[in-house]
Coordinates of all heavy atoms in Angstrom, one line a residue:
A133 N 109.3 107.6 104.3 CA 108.6 106.6 105.1 C 109.5 105.6 105.8 O 109.2 105.3 106.9 CB 107.7 105.8 104.1
H134 N 110.6 105.2 105.1 CA 111.6 104.3 105.8 C 112.2 104.9 107.1 O 112.3 104.3 108.2 CB 112.7 103.9 104.9 CG 113.6 103.0 105.5 ND1 114.8 103.4 106.1 CD2 113.8 101.6 105.5 CE1 115.5 102.4 106.5 NE2 114.9 101.4 106.2
V136 N 110.9 107.2 109.0 CA 109.9 107.4 110.1 C 109.7 105.9 110.7 O 109.5 105.8 112.0 CB 108.6 108.0 109.6 CG1 107.5 108.0 110.7 CG2 108.9 109.4 109.1
R137 N 109.5 105.0 109.9 CA 109.3 103.6 110.3 C 110.5 103.2 111.2 O 110.2 102.5 112.2 CB 109.1 102.7 109.1 CG 108.7 101.3 109.5 CD 108.3 100.5 108.3 NE 109.4 100.4 107.3 CZ 109.4 100.9 106.1 NH1 108.4 101.7 105.7 NH2 110.5 100.8 105.3
E138 N 111.6 103.5 110.8 CA 112.8 103.0 111.6 C 113.2 103.9 112.8 O 114.2 103.5 113.5 CB 114.0 102.9 110.6 CG 113.9 101.8 109.5 CD 113.5 100.4 110.1 OE1 114.2 100.0 110.9 OE2 112.6 99.8 109.5
G139 N 112.5 104.9 113.0 CA 112.8 105.9 114.1 C 113.9 106.8 113.9 O 114.4 107.4 114.7
E142 N 111.3 111.7 113.4 CA 110.0 111.7 114.3 C 108.8 112.0 113.3 O 107.6 111.4 113.6 CB 110.0 112.7 115.4 CG 108.9 112.5 116.3 CD 109.1 113.3 117.7 OE1 110.1 113.9 117.8 OE2 108.2 113.3 118.5
G150 N 102.1 105.9 99.1 CA 102.4 104.6 99.7 C 101.9 104.4 101.2 O 102.0 105.3 102.0
E151 N 101.5 103.2 101.4 CA 100.9 102.9 102.7 C 101.8 102.1 103.5 O 102.6 101.3 103.0 CB 99.6 102.1 102.6 CG 98.5 103.0 101.9 CD 98.0 104.2 102.5 OE1 98.1 104.2 103.9 OE2 97.8 105.2 101.9
A152 N 101.9 102.3 104.8 CA 102.8 101.4 105.7 C 102.0 101.2 107.0 O 101.5 102.1 107.5 CB 104.0 102.2 106.0
P153 N 101.8 99.9 107.3 CA 100.9 99.6 108.3 C 101.3 100.3 109.7 O 100.4 100.6 110.5 CB 101.2 98.0 108.5 CG 101.6 97.6 107.1 CD 102.4 98.8 106.6
M154 N 102.6 100.5 109.9 CA 103.0 101.1 111.3 C 102.9 102.5 111.2 O 103.1 103.2 112.4 CB 104.5 100.7 111.6 CG 104.6 99.1 111.7 SD 103.6 98.4 112.9 CE 104.1 99.1 114.4
L155 N 102.6 103.3 110.2 CA 102.6 104.7 110.1 C 101.2 105.3 110.0 O 100.4 104.8 109.2 CB 103.5 105.2 108.9 CG 104.9 104.7 108.8 CD1 105.6 105.3 107.7 CD2 105.6 104.9 110.2
A156 N 101.0 106.4 110.7 CA 99.7 107.1 110.7 C 100.1 108.3 109.6 O 101.2 108.7 109.5 CB 99.4 107.7 111.9
A157 N 99.0 108.7 109.0 CA 99.1 109.8 107.9 C 98.1 110.8 108.1 O 96.8 110.4 108.3 CB 99.4 109.2 106.6
L273 N 103.6 112.0 108.1 CA 103.7 110.7 108.7 C 104.2 110.7 110.0 O 105.1 111.4 110.3 CB 104.5 109.7 107.7 CG 104.3 109.7 106.2 CD1 105.2 108.8 105.5 CD2 102.9 109.3 105.9
W274 N 103.8 109.7 110.9 CA 104.4 109.5 112.2 C 104.2 108.1 112.5 O 103.2 107.4 112.1 CB 104.0 110.5 113.3 CG 102.6 110.3 113.7 CD1 102.0 109.6 114.7 CD2 101.4 110.9 113.1 NE1 100.7 109.8 114.8 CE2 100.2 110.5 113.8 CE3 101.3 111.8 112.0 CZ2 98.9 110.9 113.4 CZ3 99.9 112.2 111.6 CH2 98.8 111.8 112.3
H275 N 105.0 107.5 113.5 CA 104.9 106.2 113.8 C 103.7 106.0 114.9 O 103.6 106.7 115.8 CB 106.2 105.7 114.5 CG 106.3 104.2 114.4 ND1 105.6 103.3 115.2 CD2 107.1 103.4 113.6 CE1 105.9 102.1 114.9 NE2 106.9 102.0 114.0
R276 N 102.9 105.0 114.6 CA 101.7 104.8 115.5 C 102.2 104.4 116.9 O 101.4 104.8 117.9 CB 100.9 103.7 114.9 CG 100.0 104.1 113.6 CD 99.2 102.9 113.1 NE 98.6 103.2 111.8 CZ 97.6 103.9 111.5 NH1 96.9 104.5 112.7 NH2 97.1 104.1 110.3
E277 N 103.2 103.6 117.1 CA 103.5 103.1 118.4 C 104.6 103.8 119.1 O 105.0 103.5 120.1 CB 103.8 101.6 118.1 CG 102.7 100.8 117.6 CD 103.0 99.3 117.5 OE1 104.1 98.9 117.8 OE2 102.1 98.6 117.0
R278 N 105.2 104.8 118.5 CA 106.2 105.6 119.2 C 105.7 107.0 119.8 O 104.8 107.5 119.2 CB 107.4 105.9 118.2 CG 108.1 104.7 117.8 CD 109.5 105.1 117.3 NE 110.2 103.9 116.8 CZ 110.3 103.3 115.6 NH1 109.7 103.9 114.6 NH2 111.1 102.2 115.5
D307 N 95.4 109.5 115.9 CA 95.0 109.2 114.4 C 96.1 108.3 113.9 O 97.3 108.3 114.3 CB 95.2 110.6 113.7 CG 94.0 111.5 114.0 OD1 92.9 110.9 113.9 OD2 94.2 112.6 114.3

Side-chain angles (χ1 to χ4, degrees):
H134 179 271
V136 177
R137 186 171 60 251
E138 298 302 315
E142 190 169 356
E151 299 299 328
M154 301 304 294
L155 302 184
L273 308 177
W274 68 94
H275 201 288
R276 294 181 185 276
E277 297 181 1
R278 291 198 176 99
D307 289 315

